[in-house]
Amino acid sequence: MNHPNQFALLGQRRFAPFFWTQFLGAANDNVFKFAFTLMITYQLQLDWLPPSHAGLVIGALFILPYVLFSATSGQLADKHDKARLMQLVKSLEIAIMAVAAWGFYAAHVPTLLACVFLMGLHSTLFGPVKYAYMPQHLSERELTGGNGMVEMGTFVAILLGQLAGGILVDTPVVGPHHVAWACLALAVLGRVTAQRVPPSPSTDPDLVINWNPFTETWRNLKLAHEGLAVFRSLLGISWMWFFGAVFLSNFPAFAKEVLHGNAQVASLLLAVFSIGIGIGSLLCEMLSKRHVEIGLVPLGAIGMSVFAIDLYFAASGLPASEPYTVSGFLSIAAHWRVLADLGALALFAGLYSVPMYALIQLRAQPTHRARIIAANNILNALFMIASSIIAGAMLSAGLTIPQIFLAVGIANAIVGIYIFLIVPEYLLRFFAFVLTRLVYRFKIVNDERIPTTGPAVLVCNHVSFVDAVLLMAASPRPIRFLMDAQIFRIPVLGWMFRLAKAIPIAPQKTDPATYEAAFTAARAVLADGEMVCIFPEGGITRDGTLQPFKGGVMKLIDGLPDVPVIPMALGNLWGSYFSRFEGGKAMSKPLRRGVWSRISLMVGEAMPPAAVSPEQLQARVAALLPSSS
């Protein structure tokens, strides 16, 4: 199951056929839709469907099935084998494209509009299957890379599909015929690759399908809301689609009216945006060190706002001109800033979205994971519809396109702050991400020993005020910490640990009520299947050596025979800014260990509670410590 990087997945059957199936499907959607839009805009003269409305009508017809049928498609994906569903959906695509081929040959627009709706249905059926498939075949360490590959592949497919559709339909006389054959060929190729997708057994075979899309949609949203972190991640992803849709839908008008470019300049903007999304998506695995690192989400949100706002300034006041060709456009220095802003905001959108998708896949209950994805698709569709309505209203009110970009950039900052305050885990992981990459060079050894599911007690030496933050960065899921109540009085750190829902503990002799309440709360966390971390030394070391372990861990695991205890050791952290040093002082002389000092976390093998004693745990942790510590 291990791989050197995300690209190695393309050489493995559990991922490659699935990847090419979804890639070909996204490409076909865009060849078909874009060619059809251009055909109506430039080749046909229809009184009942003017060119100015063609893109809106086609887009609305394609997205309508997401609203109507996502709930049903989520149920089907939870109930049936996902590989078999992919094969059936790709067979449906061949049938739709056969009908569309006749529509292109006959230039019969109503038939092609019906096929747009049916291709939207095809994508609606495929969406929950796609995202529920990956957690069944990829480990937690591979989910971020796998999602990055899929996100990159989707936007590259969109770009190539639109370019191919535009080139094919522009062929004199026989252009629509070429489009017909290309779409049919892509559908057949997708069916061939789907046949190679390995079996993906049902996660809820006894599920009774509710065919009422309205009641089932409401039920799916309620299911998603049961896990607040998951539900708010759905909202975060939907906001990203709102944000992205504002840019994608305005590229043609932006290129023509603001940048004074021709249709090829609009295609250039799409290419830069797609490449930016692809690069950002692929960077996620490297930056996350192969974990589901939601600390990237605030980083992505910051970048999206900064570059969307700068795009307003870059695009404001450009002088009027005859329509530029691509070469003429690129010859103007000011235009490079526009392209840089557009590519950068797309890159940060990739950093923003991929960890959220991975988080949903990792934390949603497997039995209804596809229905959670279906709820996500419904919300995405609603947010995209809302973005079109709001952007249209702003244009009607007299705002320019750069002003709309500015408004969306500011709104993104406000939405980001709101999400990160109501789901503080994002903010905490962002702080941990910064600390472990910009302040320290953090090496984790045997991190696969930290369980991705089920309760566990983590036991670690206590070296600094940021030990908990470092452990957050190492763990694929949240940890609740038993921490000295005095730490909560430290400015900033105390606020942060309260956000992390750390459990304050005090010595039994001085504050027995707080002591007992801490263990009651910690045992409740374990009963909920979550992880608890305890620092058994009872306080931060004052001389850098490992102190005797107290008996609190025994009280915590008493009567819990199935909860593993995992020893861990932080090394080379003593003497850094956040630790104490000679004389007991702390958090002074910030550069006394230099910049990017090397620290480590060693994770030991899990111990059954029956084998645990304070002395045995101390010996295990001491054995994990590097000699330099």
Side-chain angles (χ1 to χ4, degrees):
M1 297 289 286
N2 291 326
H3 63 288
N5 57 57
Q6 57 203 331
F7 295 103
L9 291 171
L10 290 176
Q12 300 176 24
R13 187 186 168 195
R14 62 195 171 105
F15 185 80
F18 155 74
F19 174 85
W20 292 115
T21 299
Q22 66 86 30
F23 181 92
L24 292 165
N28 206 11
D29 282 342
N30 286 276
V31 170
F32 171 57
K33 288 191 300 176
F34 197 65
F36 181 33
T37 303
L38 293 180
M39 194 170 82
I40 293 176
T41 303
Y42 294 104
Q43 299 177 12
L44 302 176
Q45 300 297 321
L46 302 172
D47 293 334
W48 58 275
L49 185 58
S52 59
H53 290 70
L56 292 174
V57 171
I58 290 171
L61 278 174
F62 187 81
I63 207 168
L64 182 59
Y66 281 91
V67 179
L68 296 178
F69 303 117
S70 283
T72 304
S73 65
Q75 294 177 89
L76 293 172
D78 276 334
K79 183 175 178 63
H80 299 289
D81 183 289
K82 293 168 188 61
R84 182 61 183 147
L85 276 176
M86 286 188 206
Q87 293 154 12
L88 291 173
V89 169
K90 303 318 280 185
S91 296
L92 173 64
E93 184 183 3
I94 294 174
I96 296 168
M97 286 297 98
V99 176
W102 179 86
F104 277 117
Y105 266 84
H108 195 266
V109 173
T111 296
L112 291 172
L113 287 173
C115 289
V116 169
F117 178 84
L118 292 173
M119 282 300 284
L121 174 62
H122 151 271
S123 296
T124 300
L125 293 170
F126 192 78
V129 179
K130 173 172 73 172
Y131 285 108
Y133 171 88
M134 283 191 281
Q136 284 189 255
H137 293 270
L138 303 182
S139 68
E140 184 273 332
R141 293 169 63 86
E142 297 168 321
L143 264 184
T144 295
N147 276 279
M149 291 293 291
V150 167
E151 194 83 351
M152 176 276 298
T154 299
F155 276 89
V156 169
I158 290 171
L159 173 62
L160 295 179
Q162 293 199 6
L163 292 175
I167 293 169
L168 290 171
V169 79
D170 199 39
T171 306
V173 183
V174 294
H177 304 172
H178 291 171
V179 174
W181 285 107
C183 289
L184 197 55
L186 286 171
V188 171
L189 279 174
R191 179 62 181 83
V192 170
T193 57
Q195 193 62 37
R196 290 281 298 160
V197 174
S200 304
S202 164
T203 53
D204 192 0
D206 298 324
L207 175 67
V208 177
I209 303 293
N210 174 16
W211 296 102
N212 185 323
F214 302 104
T215 59
E216 187 59 28
T217 295
W218 181 246
R219 186 185 301 174
N220 282 3
L221 292 173
K222 288 173 66 178
L223 270 175
H225 195 265
E226 290 177 3
L228 283 181
V230 169
F231 181 73
R232 286 162 178 166
S233 296
L234 299 185
L235 294 177
I237 289 172
S238 297
W239 169 256
M240 191 276 293
W241 281 106
F242 179 105
F243 180 93
V246 169
F247 289 89
L248 289 169
S249 62
N250 281 289
F251 279 165
F254 181 58
K256 180 181 179 181
E257 298 172 12
V258 179
L259 302 179
H260 313 293
N262 61 14
Q264 283 68 42
V265 172
S267 297
L268 174 65
L269 299 182
L270 174 65
V272 169
F273 190 87
S274 300
I275 291 169
I277 286 275
I279 293 173
S281 300
L282 293 177
L283 282 174
C284 287
E285 183 183 63
M286 180 187 74
L287 293 175
S288 67
K289 298 183 178 178
R290 297 198 192 167
H291 278 304
V292 176
E293 180 49 83
I294 61 175
L296 292 173
V297 176
L299 177 64
I302 292 167
M304 288 162 65
S305 283
V306 167
F307 290 103
I309 292 169
D310 191 66
L311 183 60
Y312 161 76
F313 293 105
S316 296
L318 293 175
S321 168
E322 290 296 316
Y324 291 109
T325 62
V326 170
S327 59
F329 178 80
L330 293 176
S331 68
I332 308 297
H335 294 162
W336 283 93
R337 179 179 171 188
V338 171
L339 294 177
D341 282 336
L342 196 59
L345 74 87
L347 183 150
F348 280 98
L351 294 179
Y352 174 93
S353 62
V354 168
M356 281 195 175
Y357 276 116
L359 175 74
I360 293 167
Q361 292 165 339
L362 183 66
R363 297 197 189 169
Q365 288 296 324
T367 52
H368 52 261
R369 185 185 284 130
R371 279 169 281 174
I372 300 297
I373 300 298
N376 176 62
N377 290 342
I378 295 166
L379 290 172
N380 290 351
L382 294 175
F383 272 65
M384 291 172 72
I385 292 168
S387 78
S388 298
I389 294 171
I390 293 171
M394 294 172 76
L395 287 171
S396 299
L399 271 71
T400 65
I401 293 175
Q403 287 172 336
I404 292 175
F405 292 165
L406 173 65
V408 172
I410 294 171
N412 182 70
I414 295 170
V415 169
I417 291 169
Y418 173 72
I419 290 176
F420 304 141
L421 288 179
I422 63 173
V423 189
E425 187 183 352
Y426 284 110
L427 205 57
L428 294 167
R429 292 295 291 253
F430 175 62
F431 183 77
F433 176 83
V434 170
L435 186 70
T436 55
R437 287 159 177 82
L438 300 183
V439 179
Y440 298 117
R441 281 179 288 178
F442 189 38
K443 180 182 179 181
I444 310 169
V445 179
N446 296 325
D447 57 336
E448 71 280 358
R449 292 174 176 171
I450 302 174
T452 56
T453 59
V457 174
L458 310 181
V459 174
C460 190
N461 58 325
H462 207 357
V463 191
S464 77
F465 291 100
V466 293
D467 291 350
V469 180
L470 296 172
L471 296 182
M472 282 181 208
S475 172
R477 60 194 181 110
I479 305 171
R480 295 287 297 277
F481 294 90
L482 279 164
M483 299 191 67
D484 188 340
Q486 293 184 2
I487 290 180
F488 289 81
R489 302 188 187 119
I490 298 174
V492 181
L493 284 177
W495 169 79
M496 185 176 64
F497 292 138
R498 277 189 288 272
L499 277 182
K501 298 181 180 178
I503 302 168
I505 188 169
Q508 186 177 22
K509 291 181 180 179
T510 59
D511 192 347
T514 300
Y515 179 83
E516 291 297 333
F519 284 101
T520 299
R523 290 173 66 87
V525 170
L526 293 172
D528 287 338
E530 301 300 328
M531 296 195 297
V532 171
C533 179
I534 187 170
F535 299 101
E537 293 169 275
I540 297 173
T541 178
R542 291 177 173 270
D543 58 9
T545 61
L546 191 65
Q547 306 299 305
F549 280 17
K550 302 184 184 306
V553 66
M554 305 306 296
K555 181 178 178 68
L556 181 58
I557 63 175
D558 183 37
L560 300 174
D562 299 321
V563 176
V565 179
I566 300 167
M568 310 170 77
L570 284 163
N572 301 320
L573 189 56
W574 171 252
S576 70
Y577 173 66
F578 293 104
S579 75
R580 300 186 188 278
F581 70 114
E582 292 79 2
K585 295 181 180 179
M587 298 172 71
S588 62
K589 300 180 183 178
L591 297 178
R592 67 174 179 264
R593 279 274 301 269
V595 180
W596 270 14
S597 60
R598 296 177 183 272
I599 61 173
S600 63
L601 175 68
M602 310 291 290
V603 184
E605 294 184 2
M607 301 173 63
V612 170
S613 68
E615 296 76 18
Q616 184 71 6
L617 272 176
Q618 183 179 351
R620 289 285 190 100
V621 171
L624 292 170
L625 284 169
S627 56
S628 59
S629 294

